[in-house]
Structures are given as structure tokens and as C-alpha cells.
Amino acid sequence: MGEEVERRDFSREDRTRYRHKIRRSLDVFASMLRESRFEFERPLTGMEIELNLVDDNADPAMRNAEVLAALADPDFQTELGQFNIEINVAPRRLAGDENADLERELRASLNNAEEHARATGSHMVMIGILPTLRREHLTGDSLSANPRYALLNEQIFAARGEDLDIRIDGIDRLAVTTDSIAPEAACTSTQFHLQVSPSQFAAYWNAAQVIAGVQVALGANSPLLFGRELWRETRIPLFEQATDTRSEEIRAQGVRPRVWFGERWITSVFDLFEENVRYFPALLPICDDEDPEQVLESGDIPQLSELRLHNGTVYRWNRPIYAVVKDRPHLRVENRVLPAGPTVVDTVANGAFYYGLVRMLAEADRPVWTQMSFSAAEENFHSCARHGIAASVFWPGLGYVPVSELVLRRLLPLAHEGLEKWGVSASERDRLLGIIEQRCLTGRNGATWQVETLHALEGDGLDRQGALHEMLRRYLPPMHENVPVHEWPLP
């Protein structure tokens, strides 16, 4: 999302040239897939975590430029809102005790970043939606300085032709109108990357789609927005609406949304890139000088920058990634369904569950997605976003079952086996998946802790805004101490 682009206006000629170039790039990509030119012998994982900045009063701190300047660390970069930053974790293998090393390194990086942030009067929070956000914090003026964000804002509203209505019906009801994409900045996520071969990509993407709902139920951490208690993972409907380029009439015609679960199981990674080109007009029609056909014919690897930039403006919950690193192309599944937080250890546990489970499902003799409709997977996803760890989901052979029961009976043993196949040590498997098990047994994740704490504080006489601020202040100590959220104390 943070890729640098220059501020500019787009002409009809720009859009025509871009359409021709991206279609040629798609043909070149198809040729590369047929010729197996991809790096996949040593599969790597990666992670991105989006963070919020707050001031000493637990209100949003619009200081990401100051914090990033103080940090001077290339692993940290800007995000959409001035109260957001993002950390990119270097790719690594899963084998051995790499997860323990990852946890230590990530905690050290975040602790160092917190020290620098304090020098600017800011503090970092790993949370899906900052509960102290108010509507006045999310305007066009709160967007980060990167020209890409202003361009996206202009192009999305030019496509819509009108202001954006956000409607979320949950425990409470939210109905607001906005004239910018700033509400998207409220959605801070954790993204897991997994490098796969072209031949395996479809199986891993399908498997990731199957378990997306379960991931959201276990990891929900965004129950509050603008003082309203909405879905347990409100980030899902908010993100789906905050970047919607469709007017009400276009939506009624069945045009696909840019934040998209998808509509079918796939047979190749090409299916996803081809759908992106076929269904979605360019938001940022920027062409470079590369001739991808000529580059490929010369034996070199094309960057396919137009295809990659366009792919970055279609927000699939499991997104395909094409990248070139050290002159070797590779493919990744980017899993984008989870919120940030509550802690580093919870995040690493979520990753262990995902990587272990997705491998077993992708390599099964009879894939689970051949036994259920795609619409059932999408229904699971939105039901789990609404109800969190209390949700029920459809699963082949079981029908509708509580998600915690499904995880304890079926999915945790599979995740253990998958992590063993990745080469993860037994002690790390037990430690990390034990956190997932305890969430299921206690029924407590970030969302339930936030809501229960909020209600207890209101029961003690605090008004809603006072309770939201106090709840967030109580969130920070166990977050910094890296205590798994199922162990967090309640008032």
C-alpha cells in the first residue's frame, strides 16, 4: 500500500496506454508460468504488522512522519493515516525454532520503536481498530503525506462520483458519510506471506480461503468504532466499505467490489491476476518504460510493474503477490484477514496456526474445498467477523459447528502436523498452538477482552468515552509484557 508514486493527473491517453500495457504484461506472466521461471525451492514466510500511534491521553497521535524520522529504520514505513505505521519482518523459513527467534526479534524491534516514539510524545498500539478514534480523526487532512494516498483518494471518489456511506449493523448501529478514504486508516492488520510454487499456488490460496473465517474468529480484535460496539471484527465490513468505488446503482448491477473475498475456487494463480485485469478499471494508470516481452525474450526477468501496481489496488483478503528479488521472480499468498495484536506472541501463534493448517489442507488427497461451495466459505468469513470466537461455521462432514469446537477437534491436530512438516520444533508447536487452544477453551480473544472490560468499566460508572480511554490504557501493559490475551485480567 505504501509504494511511492508521484502526484499527477491522468489523461484518457494514460488510461488507454495502461490498458494495453497491462494486457501485454498478463500475457508475459502467463508465459512465465508455463516456463516455470520461479523461485520456490526454499519456501519463505514473511509478515507485516500495521500499528497505531496514540498520545499520553490514549487519543490518536497524528505523528507518523515524526516517529519514522526518529526511528530511521527501513523496516518501518508509512501507512494510510498519520496515526499509522507499519513494520515489515524480513522473510525467513519456518523450520526449527525460527518462530521463537522471530518473536524475540519482533519484540526487540517494537520495543526500540516504542522508545523512539515516546520521544515524539507518542506510543504504539497493536490493535485492529483504535477504540478512541472519533469521526474528526478520520478526514482527508489525516492522510499520510505519501502522494499515493492522495491519488488513491482522488481516483476512488472520481470513480464513485459521490460521498461514501458506511453502514454497519452490529450490537449497535453505525451510519456515517465521508468524503475521503480516511476511515480505511482505522483498519490495522497483520499480514502473513507464504512463498509457493506456481503449481501449488491454487491449492494454497483455496486452502487459505477455506480457513479465513476460522482465523478471524480466533483472532478478532476490532469490536469498537466511533464509540459503537459493532462486529467482533469490525475491520472487515469497514474495510470493505471504505474503499468501495461503486455507486449504489453500480453495486445493484452486480459489479465486483475492490475489497473482495472472491467468487470461485481457482485452478491457477493466473486466474486471480486475470480477474483483476478483467473486472477492475485502473485506479493508478502509471506506465514505466519496460517492454516485458522484450525483457523476457532476452532471458531476463520482467518487473511487470503495471500488473503489480494494479494488483495492489484490488484488496483481496488472500491476495496473490508477484515479486522479483535478486533477479529471481517468486509468488506469494498474502493472507490479510487478521487484525493487529493484541501481542507479539498472539501474533506469532496466529501465524503458526495458519502456516500449519494451510499446508495440511493444501496437500490433502481430497481437498476440503472440493467438498464445500465457495459461497459457504464466504458465509463463514462474514459470520466469524460478526460473531468472533462465538461463531458457528459450516465444515464438510460436520455441518454447522461452533468454531472453537471445530478448532479443538479437527484443526489444531492438523496444524500440529503441518508445522511438523515445515520442520518446526515440537516445543514451539506445543507452545504456540497451546495459545490457540486456550483461546478456544476460555472463549477469550482481543475482541472479547475489549468488550468485557468496556462493559465492566461502564458498570463502575464511567461514560462511554471515559471507559474507552481507560480500557485502552489497561490494554497497553499486557501488550508490552507480551502476555497472551487469554490470560489478561478483567476488571
Side-chain angles (χ1 to χ4, degrees), residues 266-287:
I266 64 168
T267 58
S268 167
V269 63
F270 184 81
D271 295 347
L272 301 177
F273 282 97
E274 191 274 335
E275 284 181 348
N276 287 355
V277 172
R278 179 154 46 105
Y279 294 145
F280 300 101
L283 286 181
L284 302 174
I286 302 169
C287 291

Side-chain angles (χ1 to χ4, degrees), residues 191 211 242 304 310 354 390 444:
Q191 296 153 30
I211 63 173
L304 305 182
H310 185 60
Y354 168 71
R444 184 179 301 169

Side-chain angles (χ1 to χ4, degrees), residues 467-488:
L468 288 168
H469 283 76
E470 179 61 22
M471 182 269 285
L472 186 57
R473 282 190 283 267
R474 295 188 184 200
Y475 182 102
L476 295 177
M479 180 198 78
H480 284 301
E481 292 161 14
N482 204 33
V483 178
V485 71
H486 68 268
E487 298 178 6
W488 287 17

Side-chain angles (χ1 to χ4, degrees), residues 47-51 67-68 71-79 85-92 102 105-110 112-113 124:
M47 185 189 301
E48 301 169 44
I49 303 173
E50 296 165 356
L51 305 159
V67 171
L68 291 171
L71 269 170
D73 184 340
D75 289 343
F76 289 83
Q77 64 182 38
T78 186
E79 253 297 333
I85 61 173
E86 177 180 272
I87 181 172
N88 292 281
V89 179
R92 66 186 64 220
L102 166 64
E105 292 171 19
L106 186 54
R107 285 197 70 196
S109 292
L110 292 174
N112 178 60
M124 294 194 304

Side-chain angles (χ1 to χ4, degrees), residues 40 157 180 231 256 269 387 477:
F40 57 84
F157 279 87
S180 80
W231 291 19
R256 282 102 177 151
V269 63
H387 300 292

